[in-house]
Amino acid sequence: MFDSDALAQAMQRSRGHAAVVMGPRGLIDLAQSGSAKAMLPRVTSGLPEVVFLNTSGGLASGDHLGFSLDLRAGTHAQATTQTAERAYRAKGSPAHAEVSLTVGTGGWLDWLPQETILFDGARLERHTRVDLQGDAGCMILETVMLGRLARGEQLRHLHLRDRREVRRDGQIIHHDALALDDGVLERRANPALLGEARVMATLAIIAPHAPDLLQSARAELNEPGVIGAASAPPGRLVLRLLARDDWPLRRQLNRLLARLRTDPLPRIWQI
């Protein structure tokens, strides 16, 4: 007799971890294993780049993926992912993703991963942790898509636990958590939840000067088809975006990043 649960338990799971250490003069160390890889494209202008990728093609039940970037004191860089991450239907335990980012004193990191696409039945638990030392700062972005509108994909079952935290010298200064499950999907028409939105993004800048960017950010929130809001708690600028389709949201993000940054976007974003 065919036992689908036993087959799922016996299937090979994806494991991968990529770790990069950089200093002001460039790469110090690179380690990668399993499905996780890291590339450092040659950059002639702007910030040095680190591009992470998952060669397994997506995350399914029981998979584990880890990305780590350590910027030593005085190092400025930007990091992204080669393509959208995909979380597929999972009958068993959730897929786990861990992102660990460290920025030394006087350093800066722009963490600009491409979007995460969730498929019906996906189960994903992700934790992104940024450790800032001294006066270091960062920009962090996260974009989540509930299926692809052009493919007519509808999500009825979902388990997402997505947590981002930023610490300065060991103390939490920013915490942002998102939980989505079947109940939220059933009630999504509620204006207090998602409404008709299928794509959501959060962009945060953690630095003493971040609140000074509030008016510039709000002036850029005018892309048709995108609902956006910005707030400026002490030492932070936080923007939240909702859209029904990914292209308007991507256009809005590109304009925001151009307004809030002085360096070119990662080349993979410009393809």
Side-chain angles (χ1 to χ4, degrees):
M1 181 176 179
F2 181 76
D3 189 337
S4 60
D5 292 334
L7 178 61
Q9 293 176 6
M11 292 178 65
Q12 182 177 359
R13 302 271 49 100
S14 173
R15 301 285 189 274
H17 185 263
V20 178
V21 181
M22 295 182 66
R25 295 187 177 182
L27 180 67
I28 296 176
D29 192 22
L30 168 63
Q32 48 193 14
S33 62
S35 63
K37 308 296 179 185
M39 303 181 296
L40 284 80
R42 180 175 297 178
V43 177
T44 57
S45 63
L47 293 173
E49 295 181 15
V50 179
V51 181
F52 291 102
L53 62 148
N54 176 17
T55 60
S56 71
L59 296 168
S61 179
D63 289 350
H64 288 259
L65 180 68
F67 297 144
S68 173
L69 176 59
D70 182 355
L71 300 184
R72 299 293 168 84
T75 305
H76 292 225
Q78 60 184 349
T80 185
T81 53
Q82 186 187 44
T83 186
E85 187 59 83
R86 291 165 170 79
Y88 296 111
R89 182 174 63 88
K91 290 191 62 178
S93 60
H96 291 270
E98 300 283 338
V99 179
S100 177
L101 309 168
T102 301
V103 190
T105 300
W108 183 273
L109 172 65
D110 287 343
W111 171 239
L112 304 173
Q114 301 202 58
E115 63 271 18
T116 298
I117 303 174
L118 303 175
F119 291 81
D120 189 33
R123 295 175 59 81
L124 174 62
E125 296 185 356
R126 177 170 54 191
H127 182 197
T128 300
R129 173 169 172 163
V130 185
D131 287 292
L132 303 176
Q133 299 171 0
D135 61 350
C138 68
M139 171 185 284
I140 54 176
L141 170 68
E142 199 65 67
T143 305
V144 175
M145 294 177 56
L146 305 180
R148 296 168 295 184
L149 180 63
R151 300 290 183 89
E153 295 166 351
Q154 299 291 331
L155 272 62
R156 296 177 176 82
H157 302 287
L158 178 65
H159 171 88
L160 175 67
R161 299 294 183 268
D162 196 7
R163 182 158 58 100
R164 292 169 295 281
E165 63 181 60
V166 181
R167 298 171 183 260
R168 188 181 300 281
D169 297 327
Q171 300 295 316
I172 294 179
I173 58 173
H174 178 73
H175 185 272
D176 193 12
L178 173 64
L180 294 176
D181 54 27
D182 296 0
V184 173
L185 295 179
E186 293 171 359
R187 302 190 306 273
R188 60 181 298 174
N190 187 322
L193 296 176
L194 298 173
E196 295 184 354
R198 301 169 61 98
V199 193
M200 63 197 80
T202 300
L203 178 66
I205 300 176
I206 315 297
H209 73 278
D212 299 336
L213 301 172
L214 178 62
Q215 295 306 317
S216 294
R218 285 178 171 170
E220 206 66 50
L221 295 175
N222 54 16
E223 178 68 33
V226 178
I227 299 173
S231 61
R236 291 174 287 164
L237 174 66
V238 182
L239 297 102
R240 302 189 188 278
L241 307 171
L242 291 173
R244 188 168 180 267
D245 197 4
D246 59 321
W247 281 113
L249 189 135
R250 175 59 77 99
R251 288 194 296 267
Q252 177 69 91
L253 277 175
N254 284 352
R255 295 206 337 268
L256 278 169
L257 293 173
R259 174 69 72 94
L260 300 174
R261 302 170 75 248
T262 57
D263 294 283
L265 286 170
R267 283 187 294 176
I268 197 72
W269 270 64
Q270 301 173 42
I271 295 177

